[in-house]
Amino acid sequence: CFRVVSIRFFPKKGHIYATIMYSMKPICDYSVKCEIPNNMYPMSNVYGSREASGNVPHVGSSQLLCSLEEKQNQILNRLNELQSALDAMSAKLPPVGVSSRGAPPVEVTINADPSKPPMSVLALFRRLQHGGVCVLKQSHVHSSVSSVPSCLLNAFSDGPDVNHQHQMMLRIIWRSSPEGPYISDCNGHTAIYGEANIVRYFGRNYLHKLVSTDAIKSTEIDQWLDMADRSVVRGNTKERAYVLRTLNSSLGKSKFLVGDQFSAADLMMYSVLCEANLLSNPSANVKKWMKSCEEEVPASA
């Protein structure tokens, strides 16, 4: 039974008195035994019986696991087949963001200074043309410049007999632009300044194979784009020499600047180095890289 005890303490005498106030009979029978489980729920052994040594046999000895592995391999093979089919279909389609034939073309207007032409933009459009996109190029001369070299006008303009069923129009306005090339009024929003940012814009909108969804590779591409813009386009002799040394060291480890796949980093770096006439006496690694870049970006499309 339960007892309630009253305890009194007398500090002066140092005595403690305990008095039983009342008792209660138990309301539950605690003599009943209850088994407490030692696991949440039972499962059959998928590994089979243990060997005499106590070790669990290899997984392959289980018929159930073998069946599951076979189903997994079938699913993975099927997924690989679907991925290959999707890659083949995507290769026949125009890049994302490019108009289909018959639809209104995508128009891009770039302002550039003829003293520092954005040759990477020309490489971007040759890449689009090589991928089956019909591109029309037009050049206009602003009143802020007195003249534009004929080689630039010819490179960034198509002849009068060009097919007008184009999917994208590139309009170059040659003008005095100390801040560098920029896309004006992009999609009705703010302008995009800098050659590196223009390359990023085209890669992320129209040439997805030039960029990467991997965070590390994407960051490496951005680093090379910034280096090309900062140290080659706007750099001095010392900074350009450092770029060539870094380039040679990196290309000794991989085919391209970011792994073994051609990217926006290779496209811009190759374009600006050619424009700056810094590839006249390349090292063995850089020379091999130049040949690979020429295969990825044909001289004409």
Side-chain angles (χ1 to χ4, degrees), residues 17 75 140 170 183 205 238 285:
Y17 296 91
I75 293 173
H140 303 274
L170 168 64
I183 300 178
N205 283 277
K238 184 177 180 180
N285 292 334

Side-chain angles (χ1 to χ4, degrees), residues 196-212:
N197 289 329
I198 293 176
V199 173
R200 289 188 183 97
Y201 171 78
F202 275 95
R204 294 169 183 173
N205 283 277
Y206 310 116
L207 293 166
H208 292 174
K209 290 185 178 181
L210 294 182
V211 294
S212 176

Side-chain angles (χ1 to χ4, degrees), residues 224-259:
W224 282 108
L225 291 175
D226 292 337
M227 180 184 291
D229 192 25
R230 179 183 63 252
S231 301
V232 180
V233 176
R234 295 177 291 165
N236 53 34
T237 303
K238 184 177 180 180
E239 291 172 331
R240 290 179 173 181
Y242 171 76
V243 171
L244 291 176
R245 291 195 302 270
T246 306
L247 193 71
N248 182 64
S249 176
S250 178
L251 293 173
K253 304 173 185 177
S254 58
K255 181 179 180 180
F256 292 105
L257 295 180
V258 183

Side-chain angles (χ1 to χ4, degrees), residues 57-70:
H58 190 269
V59 176
S61 62
S62 172
Q63 183 177 1
L64 177 60
L65 283 184
C66 289
S67 177
L68 290 175
E69 289 178 356
E70 183 179 356

